[in-house]
Amino acid sequence: MTSEVYTLTVNGNDYQVVDGHSSESLLWVLRERLELSGSKNACEEGECGSCTVLLDGEIVCSCLVLAASAVGREITTIEGLGSEDEISDVQKAFVDAGAVQCGFCTPGLLVAIDQLLNSNPDPDDLTVREAISGNLCRCTGYGRILEAVRIASNNRTAQNEEEKSK
Amino acid sequence: MGVIIAKSVNEACAVLAENPATTVLAGGTDLMVQANRGTQSLESVLDLSRIPELKKWALEGSEIVFGAGISYTDLADPQIAALVPALTQAARTVGSPQIRNAGTLGGNLATASPAGDTIPVLVAMDAVLQLKSSTENREVAIADFITGVKTNALQAGEIIQSITMPVFQGPQEFLKVGTRNAMVISVVSLALVTDYSGRKLRVGVGSVSPVPFRATEAEEFISKEFDWETNSSLSEKVINKFSELVADATKPIDDHRGTAEYRKHAVGVLAKRALERVCAGERL
């Protein structure tokens, strides 16, 4: 097992990974070495989306990213959404819509939906469904998840219009 | 040696020449599943995912050339969809947005799964792979590249640099059967490509044999029956015969995703459906 030191940039902060070995996934390193346990581990084969993070702005399954190959990339996890004092608008929409049941799929969905709304603030239903097709909710609470996306999207659109009219 | 992130094809080939046992990593969507299960040890890894020249594509005369590192997401580019629609359709059926952002065309080929989604399309189009090592460049036809279930013709020290295929004029269709729309490994897949100038319909099938292949007998039959002036609807008899010929050419197996009997039936249904859609397609 090769052990080496490398640096990952997560949510704008540099983290040194010490004693990692070369087969470790980004998800494993985030959770077990960097104590960023917001990204969840369920299937470890890219099927469920609960480990979704942004890699240079694109959603990927962190369980399928070789941690040491993510050096120099900008990694954004669920911990990077919102701030210490305030949850993000998508997180708030999830609360308002009651879109969280067991909560295991929630971090991955939040990352995927935040990225969707950043690139397309007013997506139609089909676009939303496709955007979250890689995030499984085994409580099957999709109705309220879609409702939460609608709320967040409406809020962002309203906010954008307000800013324009200023 | 840990993980080496190559910045150019030449650098990657030099690393492989020195260390031929190095594991090559593209999108990671297959390799990391093995690593997570503990069935693949990653002592030394060469990462190809940050080589800009591998992500490009270009139209070169009547051919389209894709860098092996192009992602499934990038294959959905409307410009690519206009030139090789079946390839875009296939790329769009892969996994989920997360998987499509990471997975690559070259990775799909190197993995060489019987169920690789882009492979029936590339097979139908007679795509050619450009392989490169530190000492040699060579070209291998797709039919010779995939040698069996998850085996390929890559030699020690070689990587897939690019994939070239002709741009055919005429409608194309890629269809796939799975248990649901997203995140599905295909149970059966089929690509139908029309070539107006060559007056040929090309059919590639996947997940119904150890290696995706062209159903040549079905191709010959339907290319004679097809109305090349108007591509108007064909008789039910002709469509059924085509469907039968495609199904007869396959050698599926029973596995946890489906039975051989089901696969034979389903590939016939896909053949029929693809043909009907191609007939209904606009003449471009």
Side-chain angles (χ1 to χ4, degrees), chain B residues 56-229:
Chain B
K56 290 182 182 153
W57 68 275
L59 191 59
E60 289 178 3
S62 61
E63 293 186 321
I64 188 163
V65 186
F66 294 102
I70 193 165
S71 70
Y72 300 115
T73 300
D74 288 342
L75 285 174
D77 180 324
Q79 274 182 291
I80 295 175
L83 295 164
V84 278
L87 186 60
T88 295
Q89 281 178 304
R92 277 201 65 183
T93 70
V94 174
S96 62
Q98 286 90 328
I99 302 300
R100 293 197 288 275
N101 284 337
T104 67
L105 184 60
N108 206 214
L109 292 167
T111 296
S113 159
D117 283 313
T118 64
I119 300 172
V121 183
L122 301 189
V123 165
M125 293 188 179
D126 281 334
V128 173
L129 286 76
Q130 285 76 41
L131 310 181
K132 189 174 169 63
S133 71
S134 63
T135 52
E136 198 193 352
N137 297 324
R138 63 181 182 123
E139 292 205 322
V140 177
I142 179 96
D144 301 323
F145 180 76
I146 300 175
T147 50
V149 176
K150 297 195 176 177
T151 58
N152 63 46
L154 279 172
Q155 288 169 0
E158 259 181 349
I159 62 165
I160 307 171
Q161 183 167 27
S162 54
I163 299 103
T164 305
M165 65 204 79
V167 174
F168 292 110
Q169 255 209 317
Q172 302 180 0
E173 197 66 45
F174 171 83
L175 295 167
K176 156 174 166 180
V177 173
T179 42
R180 62 190 193 107
N181 264 337
M183 288 311 309
V184 150
I185 295 176
S186 78
V187 178
V188 177
S189 60
L190 178 140
L192 183 61
V193 174
T194 323
D195 171 12
Y196 281 151
S197 54
R199 298 212 157 187
K200 180 99 187 166
L201 276 156
R202 297 161 158 264
V203 189
V205 286
S207 296
V208 285
S209 53
V211 177
F213 67 98
R214 274 174 74 179
T216 46
E217 215 178 308
E219 285 184 357
E220 272 161 37
F221 167 76
I222 200 63
S223 298
K224 280 191 202 119
E225 296 289 334
F226 197 72
D227 183 339
W228 291 103
E229 298 309 317

Side-chain angles (χ1 to χ4, degrees), chain A residues 94-148:
Chain A
F94 263 63
V95 175
D96 291 345
V100 179
Q101 292 187 55
C102 86
F104 209 80
C105 69
T106 311
L109 274 163
L110 289 169
V111 172
I113 292 165
D114 187 68
Q115 200 273 340
L116 166 70
L117 295 180
N118 285 342
S119 59
N120 179 359
D122 189 21
D124 59 32
D125 283 349
L126 198 63
T127 307
V128 176
R129 281 167 188 267
E130 188 165 358
I132 63 170
S133 60
N135 295 80
L136 301 185
C137 168
R138 288 305 77 185
C139 308
T140 67
Y142 293 106
R144 290 187 178 193
I145 291 165
L146 293 170
E147 174 62 17

Side-chain angles (χ1 to χ4, degrees), chain A residues 4-164:
Chain A
E4 51 183 320
V5 181
Y6 57 90
T7 305
L8 294 180
T9 310
V10 188
N11 304 324
N13 303 314
D14 283 351
Y15 292 84
Q16 283 240 309
V17 182
V18 187
D19 288 339
H21 86 75
S22 54
S23 302
E24 286 170 1
S25 74
L26 177 60
L27 174 64
W28 203 87
V29 169
L30 288 171
R31 289 180 55 84
E32 308 298 334
R33 298 198 183 278
L34 308 184
E35 296 183 351
L36 293 166
S37 56
S39 307
K40 298 303 176 211
N41 179 11
C43 74
E44 279 204 302
E45 54 183 39
E47 189 93 26
C48 74
S50 55
C51 68
T52 301
V53 302
L54 299 184
L55 201 60
D56 289 338
E58 286 188 336
I59 55 169
V60 295
C61 293
S62 59
C63 73
L64 298 185
V65 176
L66 184 66
S69 77
V71 172
R73 293 197 164 197
E74 209 177 294
I75 301 157
T76 308
T77 68
I78 180 66
E79 288 89 350
L81 261 61
S83 63
E84 286 272 311
D85 316 314
E86 205 178 355
I87 57 175
S88 77
D89 60 341
V90 182
Q91 286 170 314
K92 187 164 183 313
F94 263 63
V95 175
D96 291 345
V100 179
Q101 292 187 55
C102 86
F104 209 80
C105 69
T106 311
L109 274 163
L110 289 169
V111 172
I113 292 165
D114 187 68
Q115 200 273 340
L116 166 70
L117 295 180
N118 285 342
S119 59
N120 179 359
D122 189 21
D124 59 32
D125 283 349
L126 198 63
T127 307
V128 176
R129 281 167 188 267
E130 188 165 358
I132 63 170
S133 60
N135 295 80
L136 301 185
C137 168
R138 288 305 77 185
C139 308
T140 67
Y142 293 106
R144 290 187 178 193
I145 291 165
L146 293 170
E147 174 62 17
V149 182
R150 192 50 48 215
I151 292 173
S153 155
N154 287 346
N155 288 345
R156 282 200 191 186
T157 313
Q159 211 180 345
N160 286 346
E161 273 165 23
E162 208 175 295
E163 272 165 27
K164 257 188 238 160

